[in-house]
Amino acid sequence: MLTGVVIILVVVVIGLVIYNLSIYKKIQTFRNINQRINNLTVVQDFMNAIGETSTVDDKIKKINNILIERYEIKYSTIVVYNGAEYEIKASNVDEKHWRALTCLQDVEIFKDSIATATPKYITVNKEDERLPYQQMEFGRAKAAIFFPLYIDNVYIGYWIIESGTPHDFDNVDTTVLEVIKDNIVSVLKTVVHQKTLESLVRKDLYSGLYSGEYLYNEGKKLIDQYTISTISMFRITNLEEINQTFSRELGNKVITEISEYVKANISEDYIFVRYMGPKFVIAFSGVETDGVADFLNDLKDSVEKMQISLDDDEDIEEIEIEDTKNKKKTKKQKEKQVAVPKLNFVLSSYYKGTGLEEVLKKLEEYIDNADKSESDITSI
């Protein structure tokens, strides 16, 4: 009788063990699935941040905030080498600690991590201890994981997460953190081209306008506040002729006066840039093509009535004449150089979310291939 009870109990215990193992596996599977879903959501948030019309630095800061919020990280800092020095691109650490955080590549404990492209976990054991890279702080961070960042096998900086609790990262899933690190690298790699464009934006000497690269950064951010806009490109068709017939100095003055006139006669809500050479772009944000045609006609007529010269007053040049009898000087009026500009306009619609560069390429191809004598306003 007793033996039978024992056998039954053993069977029940074994059954419970098997059941518990089954439940444990299901829970682990659920956790893995849930973690994957969470990772996919974070990746989607990353992609949304990349797609926003904001600066590279703003995008990186937003990504860092996503990491802090979604993964409940106490402190997160992304440091990138800009070619001259290490600079913090994003961090929720108080700025008084930033100097120490930009020098981690010089800390002995992290050098091997950088050399081998592997993360490094460090922690203190007691509350009164401090991490190796902390110089003047004790209470902020008690544990940290350092991740070197590489783009195409080139070291570009690091990502470091910190906690105020000793051994807080002992049981953390490092595979998840590696995925996050890879996503950070992907983001940095994606936005590097935008950063290049941002650094290329300059103000033109003669027109006082931003260069064409401005359209792809701050310009696009302003244009994309509206669903539809009109992009117009115009060319000073006889600028090369003015340079050759008169002088490049007069050609530069033509650029200056046309730019000043157009800028003074368009709304501050519109974007006006010197696109390249004799080509300029006006972006009419939030306006359809029918709404700018009459305005451009009037603008074109006014500019083409300009008579631009190097001097406002007539130059008088004194020339000595070889007259030994009278020995006198005569005054001769110097011929005035006057340039009359000719413009050719082309315009097209731009829709938010589409490729602005494609619209500009289409406008440029048309205006470059148009006959030199063409002086019109064309919608394509």
Side-chain angles (χ1 to χ4, degrees):
M1 180 69 177
L2 183 60
T3 303
V5 171
V6 171
I7 292 172
I8 292 172
L9 288 174
V10 170
V11 171
V12 169
V13 169
I14 293 173
L16 288 172
V17 170
I18 294 172
Y19 176 77
N20 287 335
L21 285 173
S22 176
I23 294 296
Y24 175 78
K25 288 181 179 179
K26 288 180 180 179
I27 291 173
Q28 288 299 107
T29 301
F30 174 78
R31 284 178 178 172
N32 290 336
I33 293 173
N34 188 55
Q35 185 64 60
R36 288 173 186 172
I37 293 172
N38 187 45
N39 289 340
L40 288 173
T41 304
V42 173
V43 171
Q44 183 60 53
D45 288 342
F46 280 7
M47 295 303 103
N48 291 339
I50 293 173
E52 289 180 351
T53 51
S54 57
T55 65
V56 169
D57 290 342
D58 286 341
K59 289 177 181 179
I60 296 174
K61 288 174 184 175
K62 183 164 185 177
I63 288 164
N64 198 51
N65 290 334
I66 292 171
L67 297 176
I68 293 165
E69 179 183 346
R70 290 300 185 89
Y71 293 103
E72 299 180 350
I73 297 171
K74 180 68 175 177
Y75 300 111
S76 176
T77 302
I78 299 172
V79 180
V80 175
Y81 184 66
N82 63 14
E85 61 183 358
Y86 288 85
E87 61 176 337
I88 290 181
K89 289 297 183 182
S91 180
N92 65 329
V93 176
D94 193 298
E95 288 191 28
K96 65 184 179 181
H97 303 305
W98 283 15
R99 184 175 181 83
L101 288 172
T102 57
C103 299
L104 300 187
Q105 72 283 348
D106 297 324
V107 177
E108 194 65 35
I109 199 169
F110 296 134
K111 288 183 178 180
D112 184 60
S113 175
I114 294 171
T116 58
T118 56
K120 180 67 177 181
Y121 173 39
I122 56 176
T123 185
V124 299
N125 295 311
K126 300 177 181 178
E127 286 292 338
D128 60 348
E129 295 178 344
R130 62 182 176 184
L131 298 175
Y133 60 89
Q134 295 177 314
Q135 300 171 359
M136 300 179 64
E137 53 175 321
F138 286 90
R140 184 182 66 83
K142 299 296 182 183
I145 306 181
F146 176 91
F147 295 90
L149 303 177
Y150 283 79
I151 292 181
D152 298 331
N153 296 321
V154 177
Y155 172 66
I156 60 156
Y158 48 86
W159 171 46
I160 183 169
I161 59 173
E162 300 169 291
S163 171
T165 304
H167 296 278
D168 198 29
F169 298 129
D170 285 4
N171 299 315
V172 73
D173 186 350
T174 55
T175 58
V176 172
L177 292 176
E178 282 288 344
V179 171
I180 299 172
K181 183 208 72 175
D182 291 341
N183 288 331
I184 292 173
V185 171
S186 297
V187 169
L188 292 173
K189 190 174 182 179
T190 301
V191 299
V192 69
H193 300 295
Q194 181 184 344
K195 187 65 177 178
T196 301
L197 282 175
E198 288 176 2
S199 65
L200 290 175
V201 175
R202 297 286 187 275
K203 273 201 171 183
D204 177 60
L205 176 62
Y206 300 107
S207 66
L209 304 173
Y210 283 117
S211 60
E213 289 80 12
Y214 179 83
L215 290 168
Y216 301 106
N217 299 291
E218 289 301 313
K220 192 172 188 299
K221 183 178 179 180
L222 297 172
I223 298 169
D224 278 352
Q225 292 178 5
Y226 304 89
T227 303
I228 184 171
S229 300
T230 297
I231 309 298
S232 173
M233 182 179 290
F234 71 85
R235 180 186 182 114
I236 307 174
T237 57
N238 62 338
L239 182 62
E240 293 91 342
E241 181 184 340
I242 292 170
N243 288 336
Q244 292 172 3
T245 304
F246 300 113
S247 66
R248 184 168 291 276
E249 186 181 1
L250 181 54
N252 291 336
K253 189 168 184 182
V254 168
I255 292 171
T256 299
E257 294 209 4
I258 291 177
S259 300
E260 290 176 351
Y261 181 83
V262 173
K263 189 174 182 179
N265 284 275
I266 63 173
S267 168
E268 292 182 355
D269 295 331
Y270 304 148
I271 299 168
F272 181 36
V273 301
R274 185 177 182 184
Y275 190 71
M276 186 182 298
K279 291 172 285 192
F280 297 76
V281 170
I282 308 173
F284 296 92
S285 308
V287 182
E288 295 191 28
T289 53
D290 292 342
V292 302
D294 291 339
F295 170 76
L296 290 180
N297 268 310
D298 293 340
L299 183 69
K300 179 178 182 296
D301 289 343
S302 297
V303 171
E304 292 184 341
K305 289 177 183 177
M306 288 182 173
Q307 294 188 353
I308 303 171
S309 62
L310 290 176
D311 303 288
D312 295 330
D313 300 321
E314 293 182 350
D315 283 342
I316 302 297
E317 183 179 14
E318 288 188 350
I319 303 175
E320 288 188 12
I321 299 176
E322 295 291 337
D323 189 337
T324 55
K325 184 177 180 180
N326 297 319
K327 293 183 179 181
K328 64 178 182 179
K329 294 180 180 180
T330 59
K331 292 183 179 180
K332 182 180 180 181
Q333 183 174 323
K334 182 181 177 181
E335 184 178 354
K336 192 174 184 179
Q337 295 182 339
V338 178
V340 179
K342 295 294 180 184
L343 306 182
N344 190 19
F345 278 84
V346 60
L347 54 93
S348 182
S349 297
Y350 165 75
Y351 297 90
K352 177 181 178 180
T354 59
L356 178 59
E357 64 280 2
E358 293 301 322
V359 174
L360 291 167
K361 182 180 178 182
K362 181 174 65 173
L363 296 175
E364 187 176 21
E365 284 179 351
Y366 178 88
I367 213 162
D368 282 347
N369 293 320
D371 191 279
K372 293 292 184 182
S373 62
E374 181 178 323
S375 179
D376 207 345
I377 295 177
T378 306
S379 180
I380 59 175

